[in-house]
Amino acid sequence: MQTLLSLLALGTVTVGAGTAGHRRLKLSRAKHTSMAGHPRWSRRIAAQIPGFAYDEQAFFGCDGAPDEVIARRRAGLDRLATLYAERFPKGRALTAEAAPGISDLQFTGAYRVPFPFAQMVRGKLGVGGFAERSEGVQVWDVDGNAFYDLTGSYGVNLLGTDAYKGMIADAVEQVGDLGPFLGALHPIVADNVARLKALTGLDEVSFHMSGTEAVMQAVRLARYHTGRSHLVRFCGAYHGWWGDVQPGIGNPVPADGTYTLSEMSERTLGILETKRNIACVLINPLQALHPNGGAPSDNQLVDGGRRAGGTEREAYAEWLRELAAVCRRRGIVLILDDVFTGFRLAKGGAAEYFGIAPDMITYGKTLGGGLPIGALVGKAALMRRYNPDRPLDICFARGTFNSHPYVMAAMNGFLRHIEGPEGAKLYDGLDICWNMRAARMTAALAAAGVPVRVAHLSSIWTVLYDVPSRFNWMLQYYLRAEGLLLSWVGTGRIIFSLNYTDADFDEVVARFVRACQAMQADGWWWHDAKATNKTLRRAVMREALAKRLGR
């Protein structure tokens, strides 16, 4: 891969000598060297990777395991398959019935594990996609099975589901007289705006229906007011699924107005100092957990090379401060995408946590009090959607459901909660609490002798593996068997709600350790003594190439 990128850089130099070629080379060198840092190449290469599925023999022995280990793996998978069939019959049947009409279920079902293994796993370990109730830190599926919730509802569930159920019920009571009347604003909106302005120190607010929409509006306004064409995002960062901020795999349209640059890089700061067409820079503070790496997911886990953690909070904060200083000097709008991390790291969000002052902040997820929301808070000069001197020069943005009365009332309940005495308790010693819990989990895993540890950013965790195994992704199925519920991305992202007590957490640790021990006993972490993560990745590429060549 490095050789390929070096050749690309050489080609860039050859194409344009002199100043233009130098500028192009400088931009290329500011990109991360991974494929995620080169979205066009990642799309081209991804389009050439053929689909294929292992048969039963290859499934168990693709890493060259001896017969004794293959037998243990086969017996372990059969035991899990029997348990799943007995424990989840209604959920699996309902999912099978509904999936042909729900594209999301089709997608998540196909991409829980690396694709060569998916066909066998779906047949043996199909999981249900439906739940019936929640209480405390647990959720119950349609078969009546209770799980400790490690999904965090993709970031929404900060306070615990009981708190949001109360906020939604109160919202219906508060604004019920107006109902779903749209267009005019319920008076509660004014209170929300005042609270958000006080929290952020910014001037104006606009409401949207999702975090993706809020980011879209922030970028649009930045381009409108600066008159510049390009946005900068950082390698691996997620800002929603729209085209300009997802320029690589998953987006069928080229994002020609986007630069994907390397985070925590002096070369990137150099580009920002010299380029004249950059309207804004997007920061997703979750990247502090894995700079320049994409959101970890088990469907990409073909080896043990997942990386996260290792970046000190102060080092990342210093990078953000340097970035902000460059943006101020160059008139570039700094947008903090706090959709995922907002209110989870601190009451004042990532701006408070890392000590920076962005020009705009986007929110979503938990801010809605359990209902769908997106919000943009920014400086007055950037939030205006029209030019008072040119009446037809406008930056249009509207949404039928923006400022929906029930959403606004649930949001008001959330904001009042975090600003009250319960909120003060919530954030008191937050980092200390989750640092200690992560240490306890890692210590328990080490004591059990399993090759697993965790990395975290407060209550957002990812699971790391210390062996070069083709089967690390299997852990998600052992965890489910122990009553631990993960999202469809598996062990790549664990999100705890903050209502976990020490007793709740200790139970999660005990179950997590049992799942790892069972997986180890079934032989999934066997590996050849000469195997490395690099050799495993090369083996996968050889298999794909052979399939591509029809062998």
Side-chain angles (χ1 to χ4, degrees):
M1 192 65 70
Q2 297 295 334
T3 302
L4 171 62
L5 295 176
S6 298
L7 289 172
L8 288 173
L10 180 61
T12 303
V13 176
T14 306
V15 167
T19 305
H22 176 72
R23 286 198 301 265
R24 190 178 298 181
L25 174 60
K26 190 174 179 181
L27 177 61
S28 180
R29 294 180 70 191
K31 298 177 181 179
H32 197 257
T33 55
S34 68
M35 279 293 97
H38 293 74
R40 290 185 180 180
W41 277 104
S42 68
R43 291 199 318 152
R44 290 169 184 166
I45 292 172
Q48 301 303 314
I49 303 298
F52 61 93
Y54 291 138
D55 59 23
E56 186 166 335
Q57 181 178 355
F59 182 96
F60 294 107
C62 60
D63 57 351
D67 291 344
E68 178 270 332
V69 172
I70 289 175
R72 282 161 54 198
R73 290 173 176 175
R74 183 176 281 110
L77 185 64
D78 287 344
R79 280 195 301 274
L80 275 180
T82 299
L83 183 148
Y84 273 49
E86 292 173 348
R87 194 176 291 177
F88 312 127
K90 290 182 183 177
R92 293 173 70 174
L94 183 57
T95 301
E97 176 187 336
I102 304 177
S103 58
D104 280 355
L105 283 178
Q106 297 168 33
F107 183 85
T108 56
Y111 287 94
R112 287 183 184 274
V113 305
F115 69 84
F117 299 97
Q119 183 174 306
M120 173 80 79
V121 171
R122 282 199 302 270
K124 296 274 190 177
L125 302 176
V127 297
F130 294 86
E132 280 193 331
R133 70 184 181 95
S134 62
E135 183 180 332
V137 294
Q138 291 184 290
V139 62
W140 281 259
D141 68 9
V142 295
D143 290 287
N145 300 296
F147 296 88
Y148 281 88
D149 178 24
L150 305 185
T151 73
S153 295
Y154 298 95
V156 173
N157 188 6
L158 175 68
L159 304 175
T161 53
D162 295 334
Y164 297 106
K165 285 188 281 188
M167 290 171 188
I168 292 170
D170 290 345
V172 174
E173 182 73 22
Q174 279 185 284
V175 301
D177 287 343
L178 181 62
F181 180 80
L182 307 176
L185 302 177
H186 190 280
I188 209 166
V189 173
D191 189 57
N192 287 343
V193 169
R195 292 175 185 274
L196 285 170
K197 287 170 60 179
L199 268 173
T200 62
L202 294 169
D203 305 320
E204 295 185 19
V205 183
S206 65
F207 295 111
H208 306 272
M209 280 304 296
S210 69
T212 290
E213 285 188 15
V215 175
M216 291 172 73
Q217 174 65 347
V219 171
R220 173 177 277 201
L221 284 168
R223 284 170 163 161
Y224 174 68
H225 286 291
T226 63
R228 302 172 185 173
S229 57
H230 280 62
L231 68 89
V232 167
R233 63 184 286 275
F234 293 111
C235 178
Y238 182 74
H239 298 283
W241 54 266
W242 60 289
D244 280 12
V245 295
Q246 192 190 39
I249 298 171
N251 176 17
V253 179
D256 293 331
T258 301
Y259 295 133
T260 298
L261 303 183
S262 185
E263 199 163 26
M264 302 185 77
S265 165
E266 289 297 323
R267 289 173 173 169
T268 288
L269 298 180
I271 291 296
L272 297 177
E273 286 277 19
T274 55
K275 278 279 184 183
R276 298 179 180 179
N277 61 347
I278 297 174
C280 60
V281 172
L282 284 165
I283 285 291
N284 182 342
L286 182 57
Q287 293 302 110
L289 184 56
H290 40 73
N292 294 306
S297 174
D298 282 3
N299 70 59
Q300 302 167 2
L301 204 58
V302 298
D303 54 37
R306 178 187 286 163
R307 292 183 177 87
T311 303
E312 294 294 330
R313 172 178 171 179
E314 183 51 38
Y316 194 77
E318 178 58 29
W319 150 251
L320 292 182
R321 288 192 287 269
E322 290 179 15
L323 179 69
V326 173
C327 288
R328 279 194 300 273
R329 286 197 298 272
R330 303 300 298 167
I332 298 169
V333 180
L334 183 63
I335 302 170
L336 179 64
D337 181 350
D338 224 1
V339 169
F340 192 96
T341 49
F343 309 103
R344 185 170 285 274
L345 301 179
K347 185 170 74 172
E352 175 188 334
Y353 190 78
F354 290 112
I356 57 170
D359 300 305
M360 290 177 160
I361 303 175
T362 59
Y363 291 115
K365 306 288 186 184
T366 194
L367 175 62
L371 295 179
I373 188 61
L376 170 62
V377 190
K379 295 178 178 178
L382 294 171
M383 295 292 285
R384 193 184 67 243
R385 301 182 187 182
Y386 61 92
N387 182 344
D389 298 323
R390 300 287 187 273
L392 298 185
D393 181 7
I394 63 174
C395 183
F396 186 79
R398 282 297 302 153
T400 301
F401 287 99
N402 293 359
S403 302
H404 191 289
Y406 291 106
V407 177
M408 291 294 104
M411 179 194 297
N412 194 254
F414 175 81
L415 289 171
R416 287 177 181 275
H417 180 94
I418 65 166
E419 291 170 8
E422 289 177 304
K425 270 176 62 177
L426 190 72
Y427 294 111
D428 184 28
L430 185 64
D431 260 7
I432 294 172
C433 170
W434 289 101
N435 289 345
M436 290 176 61
R437 287 178 173 178
R440 276 157 59 194
M441 174 74 88
T442 292
L445 293 167
V450 294
V452 179
R453 54 195 165 85
V454 297
H456 75 295
L457 177 65
S458 193
S459 55
I460 307 163
W461 293 26
T462 191
V463 176
L464 307 180
Y465 299 92
D466 293 329
V467 293
S469 170
R470 293 285 298 269
F471 296 98
N472 286 319
W473 50 266
M474 272 292 294
L475 182 57
Q476 62 178 293
Y477 295 98
Y478 283 86
L479 292 172
R480 184 178 283 260
E482 286 291 342
L484 300 178
L485 187 64
L486 300 172
S487 66
W488 73 274
V489 299
T491 62
R493 179 131 302 153
I494 292 173
I495 309 168
F496 288 97
S497 53
L498 301 190
N499 62 326
Y500 263 86
T501 65
D502 284 341
D504 293 327
F505 184 78
D506 287 343
E507 182 61 27
V508 168
V509 171
R511 294 181 183 215
F512 208 104
V513 168
R514 287 201 301 269
C516 290
Q517 289 173 322
M519 179 167 166
Q520 188 173 54
D522 287 340
W524 300 107
W525 279 317
W526 176 92
H527 60 281
D528 187 285
K530 296 179 181 178
T532 65
N533 291 320
K534 181 182 287 187
T535 61
L536 291 186
R537 288 193 294 271
R538 286 178 174 174
V540 173
M541 291 306 295
R542 283 197 299 270
E543 292 169 354
L545 181 60
K547 179 67 176 178
R548 185 77 173 83
L549 297 175
R551 296 174 184 171

